[in-house]
Amino acid sequence: MTSTFHRPRLVPRLIATAAAGSLLALGLTGCGGATKTSTDAAASSAAAGSGASADPNAPTKKGLTVAFLPKQVNNPYFTTSDGGGKTALTALGETYKDVGTTSATDTAGQVSYVNTLTQQQVSAIAVSAQDPGALCTALKQAMSSGVKVVTYDSDTNTDCRQLFISQAGAEALGRSEVDLLGKELNYSGQIAILSAAQTATNQNTWIGFMEDELKKPQFANMKLVKIAYGNDDAQTSFQQTQGLLQQYPNLKGIISPTTVGIKAAAQYLDGSQYKGKVLLTGLGTPNDMRAYVQDGTVQAFELWNPAKLGELAAYAAVALASGQISGAQGQTFTAGSLGTFTIGAQGVVTLGQPTVFDKSNIGQFDF
Ligand code: RAM
């Protein structure tokens, strides 16, 4: 496919930080003592470009621009995650840029942004994919023109990026949400899932593990009756919740693995006859969910720290753009105060474990 310049529909939100010379000394200084050989660099990995050689002791390049392209720019979750990216890039004296669509289902818009960033020859793109396949051609063009590509939060196909910065193990996330709801419901009753976009890689992966978890004998009396899609839009998610309750009056629980969805579902339940009767869990931010936990609409839910996810994506992008890593399994890089990370199979780097929030701890978190 030829490279076509598409003008983004939105004016990019540009929050650039100029390189501050004195801060550069704080930058990456190699890989925390890891000794990597060219054989390591060529180690097997499905990630595109990972066969390229890497030098863990290469200096951090100066004057890099890393562009964040979230699923959706007006989503507080991404404001926080990308803010973490900005923090990291500012600390390194590099330039941060943030562009994206207001809708989480504007796949064509997201592709346009990738093309524009490629034209602009940014050093690296950190993207949360709205749709795994749709971005591939554009991301491959970006990589072949020298732009490094990191996905974070929501992945594309493994050959369409160099690294995926994963928030937490997808399997543990999916299974634990079912386990949380199962305990709350005494393992009995109809349940539904309120997801984000139908194409979202992250939600679909988690849902796959939820469905698998539900096959275990202890869930024999819990039945998943519907997966609804709120498209990470507050109003659609609210209406979908209402629709679920109308269609399934005996519904006992909802899992919403999206910060927008769980907030809208909590809002709906809170103002309805179902408050405290239909239980809700999933992935939300403590700030969005605090009131609903305190008033008993929601007992427990999960999330990782989105700011740390963005920070890690930024450090990974800078390490790639500096040639310290190439994306091959086993390579390591340092991510400031987050520590040293090792690239796993298929170019996946995992931030850590999610936190379960409930009445006992929600007061301690502010994001
Ligand atoms: C929404 C988005 C994002 C997801 C979180 C949990 O903000 O769908 O991709 O990771 O929820």
Side-chain angles (χ1 to χ4, degrees):
M1 234 185 163
T2 52
S3 133
T4 318
F5 181 84
H6 294 290
R7 197 178 187 84
R9 292 173 201 178
L10 301 168
V11 178
R13 279 197 300 154
L14 176 65
I15 309 158
T17 46
S22 59
L23 286 173
L24 291 171
L26 300 171
L28 296 180
T29 54
C31 273
T35 42
K36 292 281 149 200
T37 62
S38 53
T39 319
D40 293 316
S44 69
S45 168
S50 60
S53 63
D55 174 5
N57 297 313
T60 299
K61 282 192 184 161
K62 318 279 188 264
L64 300 175
T65 297
V66 178
F68 275 71
L69 176 52
K71 272 184 184 174
Q72 194 182 25
V73 288
N74 57 349
N75 176 337
Y77 166 85
F78 286 110
T79 306
T80 308
S81 65
D82 296 9
K86 183 185 180 191
T87 302
L89 291 162
T90 304
L92 291 168
E94 312 287 7
T95 300
Y96 162 80
K97 188 174 172 145
D98 199 24
V99 294
T101 61
T102 51
S103 158
T105 58
D106 184 1
T107 310
Q110 213 179 29
V111 169
S112 293
Y113 276 114
V114 172
N115 290 335
T116 302
L117 294 169
T118 303
Q119 296 278 334
Q120 292 170 346
Q121 282 289 289
V122 295
S123 315
I125 300 173
V127 56
S128 171
Q130 292 180 2
D131 179 309
L135 285 177
C136 266
T137 304
L139 291 178
K140 280 183 174 169
Q141 278 170 4
M143 289 191 291
S144 65
S145 77
V147 176
K148 303 298 178 191
V149 174
V150 166
T151 49
Y152 70 107
D153 178 72
S154 182
D155 201 8
T156 177
N157 301 340
T158 52
D159 59 338
C160 306
R161 47 69 173 163
Q162 271 120 350
L163 290 176
F164 170 47
I165 311 303
S166 170
Q167 42 273 68
E171 176 164 2
L173 268 178
R175 293 191 191 282
S176 62
E177 286 168 66
V178 170
D179 296 346
L180 268 179
L181 191 61
K183 271 185 215 134
E184 292 176 6
L185 290 178
N186 248 327
Y187 301 94
S188 149
Q190 294 183 343
I191 65 164
I193 293 172
L194 173 67
S195 189
Q198 207 157 352
T199 55
T201 327
N202 51 346
Q203 272 91 11
N204 287 342
T205 309
W206 301 326
I207 290 170
F209 287 113
M210 289 179 202
E211 289 175 317
D212 195 62
E213 184 70 3
L214 285 166
K215 290 180 188 150
K216 289 186 177 168
Q218 67 261 41
F219 297 105
N221 296 324
M222 250 169 82
K223 189 169 163 30
L224 175 62
V225 291
K226 181 155 180 170
I227 302 174
Y229 297 92
N231 293 336
D232 273 344
D233 175 75
Q235 201 183 341
T236 311
S237 303
F238 187 92
Q239 287 162 350
Q240 287 293 324
T241 310
Q242 190 172 30
L244 283 173
L245 272 316
Q246 273 163 7
Q247 200 180 348
Y248 299 98
N250 292 323
L251 199 69
K252 291 286 180 284
I254 299 173
I255 299 175
S256 187
T258 133
T259 58
V260 180
I262 195 172
K263 183 184 180 189
Q267 255 164 359
Y268 175 76
L269 293 176
D270 199 32
S272 78
Q273 55 174 306
Y274 305 106
K275 178 175 174 170
K277 293 187 187 128
V278 173
L279 301 181
L280 171 66
T281 191
L283 303 175
T285 70
N287 288 354
D288 278 348
M289 301 305 290
R290 197 176 332 274
Y292 303 111
V293 168
Q294 276 156 1
D295 79 2
T297 306
V298 172
Q299 292 179 16
F301 64 97
E302 297 180 80
L303 201 69
W304 47 92
N305 185 326
K308 289 188 177 170
L309 182 67
E311 260 184 74
L312 183 56
Y315 279 107
V318 168
L320 271 175
S322 299
Q324 292 156 349
I325 54 173
S326 62
Q329 185 171 359
Q331 293 175 340
T332 61
F333 64 98
T334 305
S337 62
L338 298 177
T340 299
F341 288 79
T342 303
I343 301 173
Q346 300 196 314
V348 178
V349 177
T350 304
L351 176 66
Q353 300 289 325
T355 302
V356 176
F357 305 99
D358 58 21
K359 261 192 182 148
S360 72
N361 67 355
I362 196 161
Q364 299 160 26
F365 297 90
D366 183 16
F367 59 83

